[in-house]
């Protein structure tokens, strides 16, 4: 497991992760529940290394889910990841409005983004049959299940990151 990818949490960087962010210190979930962190880490490891989904697609989905959930730490991390995978900055900045810039994304990326939104907002969408059919048209059954696991993993990590106030790695401009 690349523990650093979840996102520096086991490297000791979190001993004061709330410092200067909020006055209330929150638990370092990685040290308080190492078994839970290991379980989330195992799912993260599986979806990033054990599927046939392209890395760029995985990080794009991680980014969009994090944007929907408002996890600054994960948005920071996965913006960097998708750029490392070859997405241009011009395209990355339009991910939140991808519907208006569809031509920048492949058919499979558009299907993944739509399914990521559907699953992340499942309390509103109930993962409609129409959305499922659209996603199933772009992915094999196995890839669709693994895409959904990817979405679920990021939603879980976002909820931990937001709840325990993980700060983004970005530094303020000088």
């Amino acid at each position: 497991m690349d523990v650093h990818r979840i996102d520096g949490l086991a490297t000791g960087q979190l001993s004061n992760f709330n410092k200067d962010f909020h006055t209330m210190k929150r638990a370092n979930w990685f040290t308080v529940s190492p078994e839970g962190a290991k379980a989330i880490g195992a799912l993260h490891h599986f979806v990033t290394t054990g599927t046939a989904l392209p890395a760029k697609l995985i990080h794009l989905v991680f980014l969009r889910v994090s944007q929907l959930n408002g996890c600054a730490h994960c948005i920071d991390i996965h913006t960097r990841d998708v750029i490392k995978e070859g997405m241009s900055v011009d395209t990355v900045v339009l991910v939140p409005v991808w519907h208006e810039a569809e031509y920048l994304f492949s058919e499979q990326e558009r299907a993944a983004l739509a399914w990521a939104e559907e699953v992340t907002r499942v309390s509103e969408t109930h993962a409609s049959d129409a959305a499922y059919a659209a996603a199933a048209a772009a992915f094999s059954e196995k890839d669709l299940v693994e895409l959904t696991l990817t979405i679920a993993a990021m939603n879980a990590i976002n909820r931990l990151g937001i709840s325990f106030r993980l700060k983004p790695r970005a530094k303020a401009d000088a």
Side-chain angles (χ1 to χ4, degrees), residues 12-18 25 28:
Q13 295 174 351
L14 292 184
S15 58
N16 292 314
F17 67 88
N18 295 12
K25 291 233 176 206
N28 177 335

Side-chain angles (χ1 to χ4, degrees), residues 22-23 41 45 55 57 91-92 96 106 109 128 146 150 158 160 169:
H22 288 279
T23 55
H45 180 74
L57 183 80
T91 300
V92 172
S106 71
E109 288 170 340
S128 73
E146 291 176 350
T150 300
N158 287 166
L160 290 160
R169 291 183 184 171

